[in-house]
Amino acid sequence: MKVYIINGPMGVGKTVTGKRIAEKNPGTAFIDGDWCMDIHPFVGNRETRAMAVDNILHMIGNYQKCSECKMVVLVWLMDDREVFQSIVDGLTALKAEVKSITLICDKDTLIKRWKNDHNCEWRTDKWLEVSLASLPYFASMKDVIDTGELSVEQVADMI
């Protein structure tokens, strides 16, 4: 089974791109990694990240067993190399074909997208600063797509 991992900072377009890929490819499961650690109030520590990784890999393993599922798209902000590597190692153990992509954009584009997203509870000034600070880290990764001048459709097609 092919698994696409879409990584990048908050607000860059991971979710909308991942959903578009799933819509265009019948038999594709869409997983948002945030669902796998949805604790209220939010706690992002070593324990909860490990739990989320385990939840994600468990879900993908179950999708592999389903004859209707042909592909998985996982979107999640993985700004911790250990977390990212745990996902990749787990998928390798599941014998999945992994393609990892990191989405980025410039600071001004991220701010504009952030201000236009009224549906996400994370779109606060505090989290915007965190997201902006993470841009250099994500830009340093392999297989990066700059989404700044691209439509969702174009990014989905590139992936």
Side-chain angles (χ1 to χ4, degrees):
M1 172 179 285
K2 185 174 271 191
V3 177
Y4 287 89
I5 300 172
I6 303 176
N7 193 12
M10 289 181 281
V12 76
K14 297 180 302 293
T15 300
V16 69
T17 300
K19 286 182 177 180
R20 184 66 193 123
I21 292 168
E23 290 167 0
K24 290 175 67 167
N25 295 281
T28 298
F30 173 82
I31 300 172
D32 185 328
D34 288 345
W35 301 340
C36 298
M37 64 183 289
D38 192 9
I39 299 170
H40 297 269
F42 174 75
V43 178
N45 61 28
R46 183 176 298 277
E47 178 186 18
T48 60
R49 284 190 299 270
M51 175 197 63
V53 168
D54 185 61
N55 288 343
I56 289 165
L57 294 173
H58 182 78
M59 288 175 69
I60 292 172
N62 279 340
Y63 280 123
Q64 278 185 318
K65 297 172 192 171
C66 177
S67 64
E68 298 296 325
C69 188
K70 310 298 181 221
M71 183 169 77
V72 173
V73 176
L74 166 65
V75 301
W76 198 27
L77 184 159
M78 290 172 273
D79 60 356
D80 180 324
R81 290 191 195 278
E82 282 184 39
V83 169
F84 178 78
Q85 195 59 51
S86 294
I87 293 285
V88 172
D89 291 347
L91 292 172
T92 301
L94 290 171
K95 297 184 180 11
E97 180 185 344
V98 179
K99 179 169 171 118
S100 173
I101 303 95
T102 300
L103 304 183
I104 62 165
C105 63
D106 63 61
K107 179 180 176 178
D108 291 336
T109 301
L110 185 62
I111 292 169
K112 181 179 174 186
R113 289 178 182 171
W114 197 278
K115 299 294 182 187
N116 288 330
D117 184 355
H118 304 288
N119 296 324
C120 181
E121 64 188 87
W122 295 99
R123 300 300 185 249
T124 65
D125 290 341
K126 174 188 168 193
W127 286 111
L128 175 58
E129 292 305 317
V130 170
S131 192
L132 291 169
S134 73
L135 285 172
Y137 169 78
F138 288 112
S140 73
M141 299 187 84
K142 295 188 304 183
D143 300 315
V144 172
I145 297 174
D146 186 335
T147 66
E149 299 295 322
L150 302 173
S151 69
V152 172
E153 193 71 31
Q154 289 171 314
V155 176
D157 288 345
M158 290 174 73
I159 293 172

